[in-house]
Amino acid sequence: MQKNNKQNSEQGFTQWFIKKWSTEPIFSTGIALIVMIILQTWSLGFDYDSFGSWFFTWTNNWINILRNNAGVGLIALGMSFVIMSAGIDLSVGSTMVAVGAALMMLIDRGPNGILINLGIEGIPAILIAILVSLAFGYFLGNLNGILITRGGIPPFVVTLATMKLYRSVTQHFMQGYNPRVPIEFLPISNFQIGRFRMMPIIYWLLIAAVLYFMSKRTTFGRQIIAVGSNERSANLSGVNVKKVKRRVYAITGLLVSFAAIIQVSRIGSMDYANAGSGYEMEAIAAAVVGGTSMSGGRGTVIGTLLGVLIIAVMNNLLNLLGVPPFLREAFKGLILLGAVLMQKKQKTV
């Protein structure tokens, strides 16, 4: 009798686990992340003089992972909203380069610096540069939205075109120009809390909290899901579909601006040819792995955060295991395929 009860209990747990795994993306993503963290911890090793030494190394490793992926994490949050609205944005990496270039031109301490030539220096110059950069990113994102909604051009085509446009124009105007970033700008990302430089992580989590509230507690958040689920029904329900889509791309541009500010303040420069390259794929992968449906209408901020962490931990794990760099992209591809296949399975459950 006890043996039968035990078997029934085990079967009940197995069925519950399979159902949760198949129907709740956050659950399956969370379990996958836990497994990867265990593997990562094991790969880091335990050959240390003391537990304190091991814990510091483990913590420092995690801080570096989160810090290095905060920019992509911000972009992934915007990308998840775009995909939830049944769109796509391939221009995020190029937008980051354009905003970064504009930011550096504003705060440049050299003879070509815009603000210094206007007699504005120090903290006022930094604040003005940040506000102008955020507005510029919002404008570029909004431009994508206008071309899509008013021009009637598919999002893939529009953002593919602006991806080429933004980076090409930036490279043209910045060739031979090497702006000098003022030292006062660097603490934005490099200010130390204890032994760690955690500011990018704090920005990422704070913005994620704001977006979570927006997605769950505001009319706009519900409208994004409605538009992505069924655009025609949303329109008949009184939702201004074009306005919602335009705002989604504008918000993504704004988030890309934050990522650009973090990037420039972290390293004090920006590589206009390569900075942000591949970020669109990283952001899409993180959003989809986190449960955002490529067909629109489903996704969460928490799921996207978990998706970013899975990609980030996987990169770190493969580095610790000594996997050749060219093969690491193959693992990302396999994870992305698995996430999409899981989505198809969820629809049939």
Side-chain angles (χ1 to χ4, degrees):
M1 187 69 177
Q2 290 180 347
K3 186 177 181 180
N4 289 337
N5 289 337
K6 185 178 180 181
Q7 289 177 342
N8 291 334
S9 177
E10 289 176 351
Q11 290 177 354
F13 174 78
T14 302
Q15 291 174 354
W16 170 85
F17 186 88
I18 293 173
K19 183 178 180 181
K20 293 277 284 185
W21 180 276
S22 302
T23 59
E24 297 187 19
I26 290 180
F27 179 82
S28 56
T29 306
I31 294 296
L33 179 59
I34 291 170
V35 171
M36 294 190 73
I37 290 173
I38 292 171
L39 291 174
Q40 178 215 28
T41 302
W42 173 78
S43 299
L44 195 60
F46 300 93
D47 187 19
Y48 294 89
D49 295 334
S50 63
F51 174 78
S53 177
W54 173 85
F55 185 73
F56 175 79
T57 303
W58 186 86
T59 303
N60 191 55
N61 186 55
W62 258 100
I63 294 294
N64 287 333
I65 290 173
L66 296 174
R67 188 169 181 266
N68 292 337
N69 287 275
V72 175
L74 285 170
I75 295 172
L77 291 171
M79 186 68 76
S80 65
F81 282 156
V82 169
I83 296 175
M84 275 189 269
S85 69
I88 198 75
D89 190 347
L90 301 178
S91 68
V92 289
S94 297
T95 301
M96 191 179 86
V97 168
V99 173
L103 172 64
M104 293 177 67
M105 290 171 65
L106 287 166
I107 60 176
D108 181 16
R109 279 287 179 84
N112 296 317
I114 294 174
L115 292 177
I116 199 168
N117 281 321
L118 294 174
I120 306 172
E121 298 182 59
I123 300 302
I126 290 173
L127 292 176
I128 291 171
I130 289 174
L131 291 175
V132 171
S133 298
L134 293 175
F136 185 45
Y138 186 89
F139 167 77
L140 293 178
N142 195 50
L143 179 60
N144 283 339
I146 290 172
L147 290 171
I148 291 166
T149 56
R150 295 189 181 179
I153 310 173
F156 181 89
V157 176
V158 168
T159 58
L160 180 62
T162 54
M163 176 179 73
K164 301 294 186 181
L165 176 66
Y166 296 161
R167 189 179 293 272
S168 178
V169 171
T170 301
Q171 288 177 313
H172 173 74
F173 282 104
M174 298 301 290
Q175 58 182 336
Y177 178 33
N178 296 306
R180 293 183 297 173
V181 176
I183 195 170
E184 298 90 346
F185 191 77
L186 302 181
I188 290 175
S189 286
N190 295 307
F191 179 78
Q192 286 191 226
I193 299 176
R195 295 183 178 183
F196 305 109
R197 296 176 179 178
M198 299 177 58
M199 296 310 297
I201 306 170
I202 294 172
Y203 302 142
W204 178 27
L205 295 180
L206 285 175
I207 292 172
V210 172
L211 294 176
Y212 176 82
F213 177 84
M214 185 184 75
S215 66
K216 294 294 185 181
R217 301 296 180 87
T218 67
T219 302
F220 178 63
R222 293 188 288 272
Q223 288 175 341
I224 294 173
I225 299 296
V227 169
S229 298
N230 192 316
E231 186 175 318
R232 185 171 180 273
S233 295
N235 192 44
L236 292 173
S237 300
V239 176
N240 189 332
V241 173
K242 291 184 177 181
K243 183 178 179 181
V244 170
K245 285 187 173 183
R246 193 171 66 249
R247 288 177 66 186
V248 163
Y249 285 95
I251 289 171
T252 301
L254 184 64
L255 292 173
V256 172
S257 298
F258 279 111
I261 293 167
I262 289 172
Q263 175 88 343
V264 172
S265 61
R266 273 187 62 203
I267 61 178
S269 64
M270 180 165 283
D271 180 356
Y272 311 114
N274 300 306
S277 179
Y279 274 25
E280 59 282 342
M281 294 297 107
E282 294 274 347
I284 292 169
V288 173
V289 167
T292 303
S293 173
M294 286 299 293
S295 58
R298 189 178 74 241
T300 62
V301 169
I302 293 176
T304 300
L305 287 173
L306 293 176
V308 173
L309 291 177
I310 282 183
I311 301 295
V313 172
M314 184 194 67
N315 286 334
N316 183 249
L317 175 61
L318 295 176
N319 183 52
L320 291 172
L321 293 174
V323 175
F326 292 115
L327 285 179
R328 295 173 194 173
E329 296 302 312
F331 282 92
K332 291 181 187 177
L334 289 173
I335 288 179
L336 185 58
L337 283 174
V340 174
L341 288 172
M342 181 63 69
Q343 288 180 7
K344 293 187 69 174
K345 185 177 179 181
Q346 289 163 3
K347 290 180 181 180
T348 59
V349 173

